[in-house]
Amino acid sequence: MNATNFLRTTCISLVQKSGMKYFPPPPNFENVEIPEKVRLKYIDKVPAYPPTIRPPKMQKKLKLMRGPELVHNTLQFKQYGIMALGGGRLKWGHFEMIRLTIGRKMDNSRMFAVWRVDAPWQPVTKIGQGQRMGGGKGSIDHYVTPVKTGRIIVEVAGKCEYEEVKHFLHDIAMKLPFKAMAVSQEILDKMAAEQKYLEENNQNYYTMKYLIQNNMGGCHRWLSPYDFKF
């Protein structure tokens, strides 16, 4: 090796080693308490009624899936979860899929999960195939849980970061019967700040709320009560 190549190799080596590395400190999980039961609770397929009560039938009640969720739209443990982006119904199979997937992928020594939705309670009736029209309301086929937009379905928390739970929460969200996404507290805060910024800096004052409140174009004649509510 001649002197030129030796100096060139030495300079390259010095340049590569001269950079200063900075690694941020890991998050502190000292205040996180792990409960005794970390796995998701098994959900019954059929609600339990007293033996003397006949299981009641119910109308469709699509209003239970309509509009935004106003109560259960935040994370209780301020960490991670799955949020619904549209209305829909959860069947018992969806509950089992969520429970089994999280049970396999979650580290039980430092993570835990909790349900944020009720067990299937709304009956859905169905008339047998090949029967004539009429004959009254059909028998109960299965039970569902109605979900509104913005509802938190399940939460995962503990001594873990978002990147550790993001992949299996995203897989679960893609398998649900409505649009959903994996969220963290930072994502929810960012979405709320963005929504607040858009409302405060809106250049068009003729919003849907303004049009309805002032009966622009006589819209009260054809609007439904749900338009006034939402």
Side-chain angles (χ1 to χ4, degrees), residues 70-103:
L70 303 177
V71 180
H72 302 282
N73 53 8
T74 58
L75 296 172
Q76 291 182 346
F77 298 97
K78 306 299 180 182
Q79 286 192 286
Y80 325 111
I82 298 177
M83 182 179 69
L85 300 179
R89 289 173 170 174
L90 289 174
K91 296 182 180 179
W92 178 78
H94 299 124
F95 282 89
E96 278 296 283
M97 180 268 297
I98 296 173
R99 186 180 69 87
L100 295 176
T101 303
I102 293 180

Side-chain angles (χ1 to χ4, degrees), residues 6-224:
F6 177 77
L7 292 175
R8 186 180 301 170
T9 306
T10 306
C11 292
I12 293 175
S13 179
L14 291 176
V15 170
Q16 291 176 348
K17 294 180 180 179
S18 62
M20 179 178 291
K21 305 299 182 182
Y22 173 76
F23 298 99
N28 187 6
F29 298 110
E30 293 181 356
N31 298 328
V32 177
E33 296 182 2
I34 307 297
E36 295 182 1
K37 297 182 179 180
V38 297
R39 292 178 175 268
L40 289 175
K41 178 184 176 183
Y42 176 80
I43 300 297
D44 294 330
K45 192 173 184 178
V46 178
Y49 291 104
T52 57
I53 295 180
R54 184 178 182 181
K57 300 178 182 180
M58 188 180 296
Q59 298 175 343
K60 289 184 178 180
K61 290 191 175 183
L62 300 180
K63 64 180 181 180
L64 299 176
M65 301 179 289
R66 187 172 187 175
E69 176 63 42
L70 303 177
V71 180
H72 302 282
N73 53 8
T74 58
L75 296 172
Q76 291 182 346
F77 298 97
K78 306 299 180 182
Q79 286 192 286
Y80 325 111
I82 298 177
M83 182 179 69
L85 300 179
R89 289 173 170 174
L90 289 174
K91 296 182 180 179
W92 178 78
H94 299 124
F95 282 89
E96 278 296 283
M97 180 268 297
I98 296 173
R99 186 180 69 87
L100 295 176
T101 303
I102 293 180
R104 289 194 302 265
K105 303 294 182 64
M106 184 180 66
D107 187 356
N108 298 328
S109 62
R110 55 190 179 89
M111 302 180 191
F112 64 95
V114 292
W115 291 111
R116 290 296 305 277
V117 289
D118 300 326
W121 60 270
Q122 184 182 9
V124 177
T125 59
K126 183 179 180 180
I127 298 179
Q129 189 175 6
Q131 296 188 9
R132 291 174 178 265
M133 297 291 289
K137 194 170 181 63
S139 58
I140 296 176
D141 183 68
H142 60 276
Y143 290 85
V144 296
T145 299
V147 174
K148 292 185 177 182
T149 303
R151 178 69 182 260
I152 302 297
I153 300 172
V154 67
E155 279 194 54
V156 177
K159 300 178 181 180
C160 57
E161 298 187 37
Y162 181 57
E163 295 299 329
E164 300 181 59
V165 300
K166 178 181 178 181
H167 63 284
F168 64 83
L169 291 181
H170 176 75
D171 293 342
I172 293 174
M174 294 298 103
K175 296 178 183 178
L176 294 178
F178 44 79
K179 290 184 178 181
M181 64 177 295
V183 296
S184 63
Q185 187 61 38
E186 296 180 358
I187 295 177
L188 294 181
D189 295 340
K190 185 177 180 181
M191 293 171 60
E194 184 178 356
Q195 182 66 23
K196 183 179 179 181
Y197 174 82
L198 294 177
E199 293 178 356
E200 293 177 351
N201 298 275
N202 184 20
Q203 299 294 331
N204 182 15
Y205 295 100
Y206 290 96
T207 61
M208 182 60 68
K209 181 178 179 180
Y210 180 85
L211 297 178
I212 294 177
Q213 288 179 344
N214 294 275
N215 193 20
M216 302 292 288
C219 60
H220 287 183
R221 293 176 298 174
W222 48 268
L223 288 176
S224 71

